[in-house]
PDB file of all heavy atoms in Angstrom:
ATOM      1  N   LYS O 112     -59.854-129.963  28.871  1.00 94.00           N
ATOM      2  CA  LYS O 112     -60.985-129.066  28.602  1.00 94.00           C
ATOM      3  C   LYS O 112     -61.015-127.865  29.539  1.00 94.00           C
ATOM      4  O   LYS O 112     -61.732-126.889  29.279  1.00 94.00           O
ATOM      5  CB  LYS O 112     -62.291-129.837  28.683  1.00 94.00           C
ATOM      6  CG  LYS O 112     -62.632-130.388  30.055  1.00 94.00           C
ATOM      7  CD  LYS O 112     -63.952-131.154  29.994  1.00 94.00           C
ATOM      8  CE  LYS O 112     -64.313-131.746  31.342  1.00 94.00           C
ATOM      9  NZ  LYS O 112     -65.602-132.486  31.280  1.00 94.00           N
ATOM     10  N   PHE O 113     -60.231-127.900  30.626  1.00 92.00           N
ATOM     11  CA  PHE O 113     -60.131-126.769  31.535  1.00 92.00           C
ATOM     12  C   PHE O 113     -59.011-125.808  31.147  1.00 92.00           C
ATOM     13  O   PHE O 113     -58.814-124.791  31.804  1.00 92.00           O
ATOM     14  CB  PHE O 113     -59.909-127.258  32.965  1.00 92.00           C
ATOM     15  CG  PHE O 113     -60.985-128.175  33.471  1.00 92.00           C
ATOM     16  CD1 PHE O 113     -60.791-129.541  33.482  1.00 92.00           C
ATOM     17  CD2 PHE O 113     -62.198-127.671  33.917  1.00 92.00           C
ATOM     18  CE1 PHE O 113     -61.785-130.398  33.939  1.00 92.00           C
ATOM     19  CE2 PHE O 113     -63.195-128.522  34.375  1.00 92.00           C
ATOM     20  CZ  PHE O 113     -62.991-129.883  34.384  1.00 92.00           C
ATOM     21  N   GLY O 114     -58.250-126.184  30.094  1.00 93.00           N
ATOM     22  CA  GLY O 114     -57.150-125.347  29.648  1.00 93.00           C
ATOM     23  C   GLY O 114     -55.808-125.692  30.251  1.00 93.00           C
ATOM     24  O   GLY O 114     -54.806-125.030  29.972  1.00 93.00           O
ATOM     25  N   HIS O 115     -55.747-126.747  31.070  1.00 94.00           N
ATOM     26  CA  HIS O 115     -54.492-127.140  31.699  1.00 94.00           C
ATOM     27  C   HIS O 115     -53.640-127.951  30.725  1.00 94.00           C
ATOM     28  O   HIS O 115     -54.161-128.811  30.001  1.00 94.00           O
ATOM     29  CB  HIS O 115     -54.755-127.998  32.948  1.00 94.00           C
ATOM     30  CG  HIS O 115     -55.644-127.337  33.935  1.00 94.00           C
ATOM     31  ND1 HIS O 115     -56.612-128.016  34.643  1.00 94.00           N
ATOM     32  CD2 HIS O 115     -55.734-126.041  34.341  1.00 94.00           C
ATOM     33  CE1 HIS O 115     -57.260-127.188  35.448  1.00 94.00           C
ATOM     34  NE2 HIS O 115     -56.739-125.982  35.283  1.00 94.00           N
ATOM     35  N   ALA O 116     -52.351-127.706  30.736  1.00 93.00           N
ATOM     36  CA  ALA O 116     -51.437-128.470  29.888  1.00 93.00           C
ATOM     37  C   ALA O 116     -51.369-129.916  30.351  1.00 93.00           C
ATOM     38  O   ALA O 116     -51.344-130.206  31.557  1.00 93.00           O
ATOM     39  CB  ALA O 116     -50.055-127.849  29.913  1.00 93.00           C
ATOM     40  N   ILE O 117     -51.353-130.840  29.390  1.00 91.00           N
ATOM     41  CA  ILE O 117     -51.069-132.253  29.677  1.00 91.00           C
ATOM     42  C   ILE O 117     -49.552-132.371  29.664  1.00 91.00           C
ATOM     43  O   ILE O 117     -48.923-132.478  28.609  1.00 91.00           O
ATOM     44  CB  ILE O 117     -51.702-133.185  28.627  1.00 91.00           C
ATOM     45  CG1 ILE O 117     -53.193-132.883  28.469  1.00 91.00           C
ATOM     46  CG2 ILE O 117     -51.454-134.647  28.985  1.00 91.00           C
ATOM     47  CD1 ILE O 117     -54.015-133.123  29.698  1.00 91.00           C
ATOM     48  N   ASN O 118     -48.950-132.303  30.818  1.00 92.00           N
ATOM     49  CA  ASN O 118     -47.505-132.139  30.896  1.00 92.00           C
ATOM     50  C   ASN O 118     -46.749-133.389  30.500  1.00 92.00           C
ATOM     51  O   ASN O 118     -47.271-134.512  30.543  1.00 92.00           O
ATOM     52  CB  ASN O 118     -47.112-131.710  32.307  1.00 92.00           C
ATOM     53  CG  ASN O 118     -47.549-130.290  32.614  1.00 92.00           C
ATOM     54  OD1 ASN O 118     -47.216-129.368  31.877  1.00 92.00           O
ATOM     55  ND2 ASN O 118     -48.311-130.110  33.688  1.00 92.00           N
ATOM     56  N   ALA O 119     -45.515-133.188  30.115  1.00 90.00           N
ATOM     57  CA  ALA O 119     -44.634-134.287  29.742  1.00 90.00           C
ATOM     58  C   ALA O 119     -44.280-135.123  30.968  1.00 90.00           C
ATOM     59  O   ALA O 119     -44.403-134.670  32.102  1.00 90.00           O
ATOM     60  CB  ALA O 119     -43.367-133.743  29.092  1.00 90.00           C
ATOM     61  N   GLY O 120     -43.845-136.336  30.712  1.00 86.00           N
ATOM     62  CA  GLY O 120     -43.438-137.226  31.791  1.00 86.00           C
ATOM     63  C   GLY O 120     -44.115-138.576  31.721  1.00 86.00           C
ATOM     64  O   GLY O 120     -43.665-139.535  32.353  1.00 86.00           O
ATOM     65  N   ALA O 121     -45.195-138.670  30.939  1.00 85.00           N
ATOM     66  CA  ALA O 121     -45.842-139.959  30.711  1.00 85.00           C
ATOM     67  C   ALA O 121     -45.730-140.270  29.225  1.00 85.00           C
ATOM     68  O   ALA O 121     -44.738-139.939  28.579  1.00 85.00           O
ATOM     69  CB  ALA O 121     -47.295-139.924  31.182  1.00 85.00           C
ATOM     70  N   ARG O 122     -46.760-140.889  28.659  1.00 85.00           N
ATOM     71  CA  ARG O 122     -46.762-141.201  27.233  1.00 85.00           C
ATOM     72  C   ARG O 122     -47.643-140.219  26.481  1.00 85.00           C
ATOM     73  O   ARG O 122     -48.571-139.669  27.033  1.00 85.00           O
ATOM     74  CB  ARG O 122     -47.279-142.624  27.008  1.00 85.00           C
ATOM     75  CG  ARG O 122     -46.436-143.698  27.635  1.00 85.00           C
ATOM     76  CD  ARG O 122     -47.080-145.067  27.493  1.00 85.00           C
ATOM     77  NE  ARG O 122     -48.261-145.220  28.338  1.00 85.00           N
ATOM     78  CZ  ARG O 122     -49.088-146.264  28.278  1.00 85.00           C
ATOM     79  NH1 ARG O 122     -48.864-147.228  27.414  1.00 85.00           N
ATOM     80  NH2 ARG O 122     -50.132-146.337  29.076  1.00 85.00           N
TER      81      ARG O 122
END
Side-chain angles (χ1 to χ4, degrees):
K112 65 181 179 180
F113 302 100
H115 305 141
I117 307 297
N118 290 305
R122 298 174 289 172

